Amino acid sequence: MAGCLTLAGRVEEVGAARAFARRLLDGNPLLEPVLLVVSELVTNSVEHSGSGRPGGTITLYLLHVGTRVRVEVRDDGADGVPSVRPAGWPAVPEPAGSLDELDVGGRGLRLVTAVAACWGFTAGRRETTTWAELTPDHE
């Protein structure tokens, strides 16, 4: 089973990407971790690529073969490449016991790493595709 959806590069479209994945994978035991990965990868594309500019787009591809689900998000490219940020990035130091509001950012690919069997990217001059593969034995 496979599906493809192209969206405007706006944060409001993350919900549409999740709804698409939910429809396509309804009843799949990997649905919840797939929804997390879709949310994180689409959000990262909006926030960190040219897709977030006016007229930018993001294309979500889902492929379900056997017990494996592959999520791919193609965006309009960026100056850098997807990478896991160090813990606390870009947190402002706070007294022990408090959580800085900025400290909740930068965890998208950490979450993807936690739930996916593997993830990676291909970066070209005008687009980047970030992908993740999920399997039941990795949960």
Side-chain angles (χ1 to χ4, degrees):
M1 169 185 342
C4 172
L5 176 68
T6 299
L7 304 160
R10 297 190 315 261
V11 73
E12 303 86 42
E13 296 293 335
V14 175
R18 286 174 55 91
F20 171 74
R22 186 177 298 281
R23 282 191 306 274
L24 192 66
L25 297 171
D26 186 40
N28 188 303
L30 292 173
L31 179 60
E32 291 306 315
V34 165
L35 293 177
L36 174 66
V37 168
V38 166
S39 292
E40 296 302 334
L41 296 185
V42 171
T43 299
N44 282 353
S45 287
V46 170
E47 292 180 355
H48 303 294
S49 80
S51 292
R53 295 185 187 125
T57 61
I58 293 167
T59 303
L60 169 64
Y61 300 91
L62 294 172
L63 178 63
H64 177 220
V65 177
T67 61
R68 181 175 293 264
V69 175
R70 182 176 174 102
V71 177
E72 293 187 7
V73 176
R74 182 177 299 160
D75 61 41
D76 294 339
D79 292 335
V81 296
S83 61
V84 178
R85 291 183 177 174
W89 179 278
V92 175
E94 289 288 321
S98 67
L99 177 63
D100 184 332
E101 205 173 319
L102 294 175
D103 194 38
V104 298
R107 289 198 168 65
L109 289 178
R110 284 180 178 273
L111 294 171
V112 172
T113 300
V115 300
C118 56
W119 74 272
F121 65 90
T122 56
R125 293 182 68 181
R126 293 197 172 126
E127 67 184 29
T128 300
T129 300
T130 307
W131 57 267
E133 292 188 1
L134 295 92
T135 60
D137 58 330
H138 185 76
E139 285 189 292

